[in-house]
Amino acid sequence: MVDSQYYLPNDIGISALDCREAFRLLSPKEQMYAHYLSRASWYGGLIVLIQTSPESANIYVLLQKMFRAQAPQQLEAAATAAGLSAEEYQAFLVYAAGLYANMGNYKSFGDTKFVPNLPKEKFKALVWESLAFKQNPSDMEALWGSCCEPLYSLEDRQKQLGLGEKGITAYFSGNCRLEDAEFAQKFLDSKNLSAYNTRLFKTEIDGKRCYEVRLASAEKDNCAVEGKSEVCCGKHDFEDAVFLVKRGDYAFLMEKVCQNLEKAKAYAANENQKKMLEEYIRSFSCGSVDAHKEGYIGFIESYRDPFGSRGEFEGFVAVVNKAMSARFAELVSSAEVLLPELPWPPAFEKDRFLKPDFTSLDVLTFAGSGIPAGINIPNYDDIRQTEGFKNVSLGNVLAVAYATQKDKLTFLEENDKDLYIKWKGPSFEDDKGKFNFDQAAVRNPETGELISSWYKGSETWDSKFSTIASSYEECRAECVGLYLCLNKQVLSIFGHEGEDAEEVVYVNWLNMVRAGLLGLEFYTPESKSWRQAHMQARFVILRVLLEAGEGLVGLKECTGADGRPDAVITLDRSKIHTVHKSTADVEGGRALYEGYSAVTADGPHNFLRLRETVLLRKEARKMFVQANTYIKDDAVELVEYEGSAAGLIQSFTERFQDDAEEVETQLLEMTCVDSSCWC
């Protein structure tokens, strides 16, 4: 039997993402604009297949060919003929839905590989019995041969995403190690070149290291690009190695993105919107990160790069929820009063406070490896410093993701479960050589000593803190949320007063300590590494709150009603307000964070044993089914699907109807060209 953490259960939650009302409220012109942005996003989202694992695109194409020839209901007869039971066929559908939802065969949340929960010979028998195989047996047999081994392989290195011997990644060739990533970052910094839209491939020529840095772009040859990146394409000698910077990674898909953005320009609401689209096109055509700083879709989050610097493609289209956005706007208008309440000196804040745009959106399209509940963008620190940033809450995602069944609510006392279900949702929405600080005055708030380290030149948060940057930042964000939810003014903005406000505070903190325990699912003892930035952050917060003592947080192992190992976590609400505590110092920061991140059997809590209990009682993360848009009679039509594995599959097989064969051929070619890099 395969360990249950490596397959998706047949009863996994799959829900349709409701956006009909939000879409209906758009004008015909806005609907056309949304349609073409959605098309651009969906084509770009296919890039994630290439970024995730060497086999993801091949598996995707195999499934697409099967389901384009026969819808899930029709393929069921072939499954029966191939000897699959009803449960095995459902497992096949769930696997396919999971691959589409995660844009690859590794979970977007946790980076763990998942394999089909049916025997390999049964999967093969279904492929051979399918109409797609009967129509084109040689191609289908070749496809199966290209992916059948990694499809099921659970060798240690292939169990999770990672760099070198720690896992699989397609951001780097298979022979790259951490020292290669660090060396390449040093080169990129020397050229003021961002890693966000790159991949790294290592070879050796005449005994000399040679690195190919590929920029994602529609253009394959050098083209004029405004900004610093213009000078970087070509060959560079750097220390004892050679770097070759070239454009053209994912060229076919990047061209499809640009074509649809060009069409969207005709429906832009104003010149500012049109200018944004032009900058997107410039960025995606030639690989310019400077141009990308004018927009928000593209290579964004760096969670899945083992080194923490390269962005995964994501594109989203959403409609403003005006009622909830009004509350967020009030929160933002209070920010200048609230920020001084945070437990650090003003010197550690931005040079100049720029009010962020905080909006609640209903998602129409979110293309990538998964859909978050909220976003803070952009990640470029220079833009955050000078232009500000956007906080986005995705309302229709929250409505589905935070629906909780009591019988599936683990690790809480019975009297906490009803409160948790009632308040979980509401509690969530809650280089010029000059120094920009006084070196003789700014002190470390913990030690009282003068600051001795800072960001230099082209260094950024991601490049400086690299492997722990994402998790450290998520920890900071979660802690700020916990801290500010104690503020009555913040609670009042969202309509919470008196006893209700206290319940929201309690459940917000309870949710965090429970999430810290659940986070153990995303820790790999063999490599002593974390696979998910948010969950590592929440575990660190749990450790700190347990260490605070005075009975604030309790964690007790026990035996459940079913006779199996269990645990109960408690929070003393009376002590929340009194017990909690509140630099580019990579060395000190890393030591502190990694200390709290350690999962051991020592001390008052055996976290390694608790991890086994968490795995025993884990619930699979929900998947979302998204709508498609089509142009019919010069108007945009929204097509929605049922919230099931079959509905999710159907949404993807209908998503690329016009050019499915061309898209699939190009995906296979992109994969084939680089296949030797992971042998």
Side-chain angles (χ1 to χ4, degrees):
M1 288 292 291
V2 174
D3 188 320
S4 65
Q5 70 173 310
Y6 297 111
Y7 64 79
L8 305 175
N10 277 10
D11 64 349
I12 190 170
I14 304 176
S15 300
L17 199 58
D18 181 15
C19 63
R20 178 164 292 278
E21 182 63 15
F23 187 76
R24 186 186 66 79
L25 293 173
L26 296 177
S27 70
K29 182 180 178 181
E30 289 170 334
Q31 288 181 351
M32 292 293 275
Y33 184 72
H35 166 74
Y36 284 116
L37 282 183
S38 291
R39 298 309 299 158
S41 296
W42 286 123
Y43 281 113
L46 293 173
I47 290 169
V48 179
L49 292 165
I50 308 297
Q51 293 179 305
T52 299
S53 72
E55 67 274 7
S56 286
N58 286 357
I59 301 171
Y60 171 87
V61 174
L62 176 73
L63 294 170
Q64 283 287 83
K65 288 188 181 299
M66 291 176 71
F67 289 121
R68 280 198 296 110
Q70 291 167 287
Q73 295 81 358
Q74 299 168 319
L75 191 60
E76 189 169 6
T80 302
L84 276 70
S85 67
E87 290 75 19
E88 287 169 334
Y89 184 59
Q90 178 63 18
F92 167 75
L93 293 181
V94 165
Y95 177 79
L99 187 110
Y100 291 135
N102 292 278
M103 269 290 98
N105 58 337
Y106 287 78
K107 296 175 187 175
S108 66
F109 199 86
D111 294 344
T112 307
K113 188 174 187 178
F114 58 95
V115 300
N117 190 22
L118 72 158
K120 185 178 179 180
E121 60 272 16
K122 292 285 186 78
F123 197 131
K124 180 181 178 181
L126 175 57
V127 174
W128 259 246
E129 193 65 37
S130 69
L131 180 60
F133 187 90
K134 291 173 181 176
Q135 290 174 336
N136 203 332
S138 59
D139 283 0
M140 290 297 287
E141 187 170 352
L143 256 179
W144 173 257
S146 72
C147 64
C148 62
E149 291 305 319
L151 184 74
Y152 275 91
S153 175
L154 283 174
E155 293 178 14
D156 284 348
R157 186 182 177 192
Q158 293 184 322
K159 287 180 178 178
Q160 65 282 313
L161 297 178
L163 190 56
E165 296 305 314
K166 290 187 175 181
I168 292 294
T169 178
Y171 285 107
F172 299 86
S173 55
N175 58 351
C176 282
R177 301 294 181 265
L178 180 61
E179 54 268 29
D180 295 303
E182 291 171 339
F183 183 60
Q185 187 64 55
K186 192 175 175 183
F187 164 76
L188 293 171
D189 287 344
S190 76
K191 298 294 181 183
N192 287 321
L193 188 63
S194 171
Y196 269 121
N197 63 342
T198 70
R199 290 196 295 163
L200 186 72
F201 293 80
K202 177 185 176 184
T203 55
E204 194 170 292
I205 301 174
D206 298 328
K208 193 171 187 178
R209 286 183 298 168
C210 183
Y211 295 94
E212 184 180 297
V213 178
R214 287 192 201 164
L215 300 176
S217 68
E219 294 284 346
K220 293 183 181 179
D221 301 315
N222 286 356
C223 59
V225 180
E226 296 173 25
K228 298 173 185 175
S229 62
E230 182 178 356
V231 299
C232 287
C233 283
K235 186 177 177 182
H236 304 268
D237 290 310
F238 184 75
E239 296 187 5
D240 62 345
V242 173
F243 279 84
L244 182 63
V245 181
K246 59 189 292 187
R247 296 189 172 96
D249 213 5
Y250 331 112
F252 170 80
L253 294 174
M254 297 300 282
E255 177 62 27
K256 287 285 188 181
V257 172
C258 291
Q259 288 170 1
N260 281 282
L261 292 175
E262 189 66 44
K263 290 175 181 176
K265 278 171 60 179
Y267 303 97
N270 50 52
E271 283 302 310
N272 192 46
Q273 229 174 50
K274 190 176 290 186
K275 174 68 174 171
M276 178 192 74
L277 293 174
E278 288 170 353
E279 293 296 332
Y280 272 143
I281 293 167
R282 188 163 73 89
S283 174
F284 297 153
S285 293
C286 295
S288 166
V289 167
D290 286 342
H292 186 255
K293 290 178 180 180
E294 301 297 323
Y296 299 105
I297 67 170
F299 300 90
I300 307 290
E301 300 294 355
S302 56
Y303 298 124
R304 300 182 93 191
D305 170 14
F307 189 65
S309 295
R310 287 153 187 82
E312 182 175 80
F313 192 98
E314 69 179 35
F316 75 100
V317 183
V319 183
V320 173
N321 179 318
K322 292 182 179 178
M324 184 56 74
S325 295
R327 291 182 174 182
F328 286 139
E330 189 178 344
L331 177 66
V332 169
S333 68
S334 307
E336 286 173 276
V337 177
L338 296 172
L339 283 176
E341 299 291 319
L342 293 170
W344 51 70
F348 287 85
E349 285 291 346
K350 300 293 182 187
D351 301 339
R352 179 169 61 92
F353 176 69
L354 294 165
K355 287 185 179 180
D357 181 312
F358 203 157
T359 310
S360 180
L361 304 176
D362 285 340
V363 170
L364 169 64
T365 294
F366 204 110
S369 64
I371 310 179
I375 309 170
N376 183 287
I377 46 180
N379 288 340
Y380 303 116
D381 195 60
D382 56 331
I383 301 299
R384 296 168 76 93
Q385 284 276 10
T386 58
E387 304 291 337
F389 51 93
K390 289 181 180 288
N391 292 290
V392 175
S393 174
L394 305 179
N396 58 342
V397 176
L398 283 169
V400 177
Y402 279 70
T404 307
Q405 294 175 259
K406 187 174 180 179
D407 61 346
K408 292 188 176 182
L409 199 50
T410 53
F411 309 126
L412 293 181
E413 291 184 313
E414 283 301 314
N415 58 350
D416 277 338
K417 290 184 178 180
D418 291 328
L419 275 179
Y420 187 91
I421 290 169
K422 179 180 179 181
W423 293 106
K424 185 183 181 186
S427 71
F428 184 89
E429 293 193 304
D430 226 34
D431 178 61
K432 295 177 181 178
K434 295 180 181 177
F435 289 97
N436 62 352
F437 66 94
D438 185 349
Q439 293 170 272
V442 178
R443 296 183 177 272
N444 184 316
E446 291 293 316
T447 65
E449 298 175 358
L450 288 173
I451 293 295
S452 58
S453 58
W454 45 82
Y455 295 96
K456 302 165 188 172
S458 61
E459 290 178 344
T460 66
W461 168 257
D462 278 333
S463 69
K464 188 84 169 171
F465 279 72
S466 65
T467 53
I468 64 166
S470 291
S471 182
Y472 218 133
E473 167 60 16
E474 293 303 338
C475 191
R476 181 202 63 79
E478 299 279 28
C479 288
V480 168
L482 286 175
Y483 193 86
L484 287 180
C485 87
L486 302 177
N487 187 294
K488 290 183 179 180
Q489 182 180 351
V490 173
L491 292 165
S492 177
I493 288 170
F494 290 91
H496 305 308
E497 306 276 0
E499 188 177 335
D500 281 358
E502 289 303 316
E503 300 287 28
V504 166
V505 170
Y506 177 62
V507 171
N508 197 25
W509 280 66
L510 185 65
N511 183 40
M512 183 59 66
V513 294
R514 177 174 181 263
L517 181 59
L518 296 178
L520 287 168
E521 175 188 341
F522 302 93
Y523 176 79
T524 304
E526 293 79 10
S527 59
K528 296 183 178 178
S529 62
W530 285 89
R531 306 187 309 274
Q532 216 293 319
H534 298 80
M535 301 313 273
Q536 180 181 359
R538 290 159 188 167
F539 178 75
V540 167
I541 292 169
L542 171 63
R543 287 284 308 274
V544 171
L545 293 176
L546 284 167
E547 189 180 277
E550 298 183 42
L552 174 63
V553 175
L555 176 56
K556 180 177 66 176
E557 293 184 70
C558 59
T559 301
D562 56 6
R564 300 186 299 173
D566 205 344
V568 175
I569 198 155
T570 56
L571 173 70
D572 187 337
R573 68 170 69 207
S574 68
K575 295 176 180 175
I576 291 174
H577 288 269
T578 57
V579 177
H580 74 274
K581 304 175 185 176
S582 23
T583 83
D585 181 8
V586 180
E587 187 177 337
R590 183 181 288 273
L592 175 75
Y593 199 70
E594 289 181 347
Y596 280 116
S597 297
V599 178
T600 68
D602 306 329
H605 302 289
N606 186 333
F607 286 113
L608 283 173
R609 189 169 62 219
L610 279 163
R611 176 181 175 273
E612 296 301 318
T613 302
V614 169
L615 289 175
L616 181 69
R617 298 184 178 276
K618 72 182 179 69
E619 182 183 358
R621 192 172 176 83
K622 289 179 181 176
M623 297 191 288
F624 298 101
V625 183
Q626 297 185 63
N628 284 322
T629 55
Y630 302 99
I631 295 178
K632 185 177 180 181
D633 300 327
D634 296 324
V636 182
E637 186 177 294
L638 183 76
V639 178
E640 295 179 293
Y641 304 88
E642 69 175 27
S644 66
L648 203 161
I649 290 164
Q650 187 184 354
S651 73
F652 265 89
T653 52
E654 294 183 4
R655 195 151 280 152
F656 304 100
Q657 285 180 329
D658 297 339
D659 53 6
E661 289 193 12
E662 183 187 17
V663 168
E664 290 161 16
T665 298
Q666 290 291 332
L667 283 170
L668 293 178
E669 283 187 14
M670 282 185 266
T671 299
C672 183
V673 166
D674 295 328
S675 59
S676 62
C677 296
W678 291 282
C679 292

